[in-house]
Amino acid sequence: MRSIFLLVLLSLPVFFINAQVKPLTLEDIHYSGKFYPKGVYGVNWMNDGRYYSKLENSSKGRKVVKSDILTDKVIETIVDSKDLKLDDGSFLSFSSYSFSADESKLLLQANRESIYRRSYKAEYYLYDRETKELLPLEKSEKISYATYSPDGEKVAYVKENNLYIFDVSSGETTAITEDGEFNKLIHGAADWVYEEEFGFAKAFKWSPDSESIAYLSFDEEDVKEYNMQKWGPLYPEDYKFKYPKAGEKNSEISLSAYNVKTGKNTLIDLGEEKDIYIPRFYWTPGSELAFIRLNRHQNHLEMMLADNEGNTKTILEEKSDTYVDIEYTDELIFLANGEQFLKPSEKSGFKHIYLYDMKGNEIRQVTEGEWEVSSLYGYDENTKTLYFSSREVSPLENHLYSIKINGKKKKQLSEESGWHGANFSPDFEYYIANYSSVDHPGLYRLYKAGQSEPMAVLEDNKKLQKLNEKYYQGQHSFFSFETPEGIKLNGYEILPADFDPNKKYPVLMYVYGGPGSQTVTNRAGGSRERWFHYLAQQGYIVVSVDNRGTGGRGRDFKHVTYKNLGKYEVQDQIYAAKYLAKKDYVDASQIGIFGWSYGGYMSSLCLFIGNDVFNTAIAVAPVTTWRYYDTIYTERYLQRPQDNASGYDDNSPITHASKLKGNYLLIHGTADDNVHFQNAVDLQNELIKQGKQFDSFYYPGKNHGIYGGNTRLHLFEMITNYLNNNLKKGQTLSVESSSKP
């Protein structure tokens, strides 16, 4: 044992022997939680703008407290689990809350049970601040998305695929729909593909006057099912759910408006074409129903208005030769005058903010330039000021700005190089600015609108900064290079702390590379980035490069991959590897690549197609053929397989499996509802058919995130050992094994 211990010590960099710096371990990164930054989360601005509420731990569970925004001091405990005793003698430990409009009542959510990425069921309780009365909704049965009406008199929710209204004063429940049925018809909640790709699970909204509820219905009876097995009992159980794969039938969508007073359901006219999407719907300040209609190819967007009888008219159209990004409609803002609205668009070539009238006429382009708006936070009616963030400084950074609605007096509100965001009070009097960078784990400051100096520092993560200084950190830097085609690509590089330019180092490239994504940004990373520093400690150089198709650099850079996912992205990663191979300190024979999801698709293709450049690849939960992925995401970028078969097959890892020469590790969770385990199975079958040796590992019952218990630590121990055994030619230093349960 003693000789082995000495061998390991001799293998460690001199850096650790001579400096008071602790080496990173995988348990530090993936189990201890010691490197998690603190933040100012769950801030719920209260009506007067001076105070906010937040969730804190208490002796019996959780509590909601009211804090003064100017001092960040708690001035009142609004509700505490210790005061919420249930009939069985236990105390209600709630996980989230929401207020009624006048803040006299709260909806408390407990025992939440996730379904997919965003969907869930939970127990809900009504709490009256004055009487202290606690009333369970549906006798504590689990329901979904309970939401107060704006006047606080009613609560709407979804139960077993039907939509209901609970009257707070009378205690009566009314069914808005009654024909909902599992795997056939859903009312008020999204189906799987809408939830995953359009980003919402709750599919109903109250009108501002509380007189109506608009809701989507999904007829998914003819949508084909995907089947997963659940292991555990003597005989495994089948779990089936509706999942429309590229080119297959989607749910038939409908939009309705329910009148609370009359009990009438009005079906909204969506037009004759049924194979469409309704990815967004809104109520205007005057309680008119507006919605977005999108064609199947997602290159023709229409914004429409509906009257009380369900008749509709188009007020705005946007068309593209590629696709129209639906995410930009998330930030649509109707002005209080009822005559105008603000909407971002990338029709100029970059995402910018436009002002329209209610007939869809463009009044003006509010922001302009060869840079991207990132987020539109809101509009202050009193000062006629918009608040937004953008990449004007750099595609690698995000900064805060204000601008008048006439497009004048644009002002940068943030200073430090890095990534800035904001949470504004409803009256835009105050905002909490958050900031991080590769050198700072997170800073939260309170500002009064219009003032340059912060009123208070709410969280500075100084303890974490001091902790970081005690542990190993590699040398992080950004770089850019030009491809042979003259295209500038951005990247970052993490070198060992004791980097010696006269040595040769193995390189691991990290890739995601999907449409609109970015890995190369000046912001604080999470556990994965910390693992990269651990690899630098092990003697690796870690590099990531944003290929064509990624975000932050305008429409043309992002849309170049249309109808050819994988083609240009892989070319760029190979260009990047060849660029690195020319560096004196890089061992050109030891370049590997790692990716997850879209990144796993990329790492697989890079090793197969770039087998003269890469010698090792690790793919976690990869798409191996886009024919197996869902309609909305895949067809947005490739159209349907019926329209573009070569776009699906030419850049499939299965197509190129015969080219495998190096070391390949394929990892997948068997309960992945997103990128199905079928992707891994079919690629393995093809590799076997081609006589290729490779390594694979599956995680039973784990979804796309592959986490829970000891899972994430186990995963990264395995990946690290695989790299040490295959990418570090003759330099293997075994990773510590875990004894965690």
Side-chain angles (χ1 to χ4, degrees), residues 41-42 53-57 62-65 94-97:
Y41 308 120
S53 65
K54 61 182 178 180
L55 202 59
E56 293 185 347
N57 293 325
R62 309 299 291 275
K63 62 182 176 181
V64 178
V65 298
F94 53 92
S95 56
S96 68
Y97 68 98

Side-chain angles (χ1 to χ4, degrees), residues 607-624:
L607 179 64
F608 299 169
I609 295 175
N611 56 26
D612 59 332
V613 180
F614 297 99
N615 93 320
T616 299
I618 298 170
V620 182
V623 173
T624 63

Side-chain angles (χ1 to χ4, degrees), residues 543-681:
V543 174
S544 190
V545 171
D546 278 337
N547 46 252
R548 281 173 288 179
T550 54
R553 296 182 60 180
R555 181 188 61 199
D556 293 346
F557 189 84
K558 182 173 69 173
H559 287 228
V560 70
T561 61
Y562 184 65
K563 296 180 72 174
N564 275 301
L565 287 184
K567 178 180 178 180
Y568 298 107
E569 302 98 302
V570 170
Q571 284 180 10
D572 288 350
Q573 294 298 326
I574 292 173
Y575 289 149
K578 290 181 176 179
Y579 165 78
L580 294 169
K582 294 177 182 178
K583 292 181 177 291
D584 293 338
Y585 54 83
V586 168
D587 184 343
S589 68
Q590 299 294 303
I591 298 178
I593 189 164
F594 158 71
W596 195 313
S597 192
Y598 198 105
Y601 162 75
M602 288 286 294
S603 62
S604 302
L605 269 180
C606 284
L607 179 64
F608 299 169
I609 295 175
N611 56 26
D612 59 332
V613 180
F614 297 99
N615 93 320
T616 299
I618 298 170
V620 182
V623 173
T624 63
T625 169
W626 290 109
R627 291 178 180 271
Y628 290 165
Y629 203 55
D630 70 60
T631 50
I632 294 176
Y633 183 94
T634 314
E635 293 174 13
R636 179 186 302 148
Y637 308 116
L638 287 176
Q639 298 186 351
R640 302 177 307 164
Q642 300 94 311
D643 310 313
N644 181 27
S646 63
Y648 280 78
D649 299 333
D650 289 354
N651 297 293
S652 163
I654 294 173
T655 301
H656 297 276
S658 63
K659 300 173 184 175
L660 172 62
K661 290 184 179 179
N663 311 298
Y664 182 55
L665 174 59
L666 175 60
I667 301 168
H668 220 114
T670 64
D672 193 333
D673 61 287
N674 185 2
V675 180
H676 301 151
F677 185 52
Q678 178 186 19
N679 284 270
V681 170

Side-chain angles (χ1 to χ4, degrees), residues 102 118 314 318 482 538 560 668 687:
D102 63 0
R118 298 173 179 86
T314 300
E318 191 169 342
E482 280 196 2
Q538 296 281 313
V560 70
H668 220 114
L687 288 167

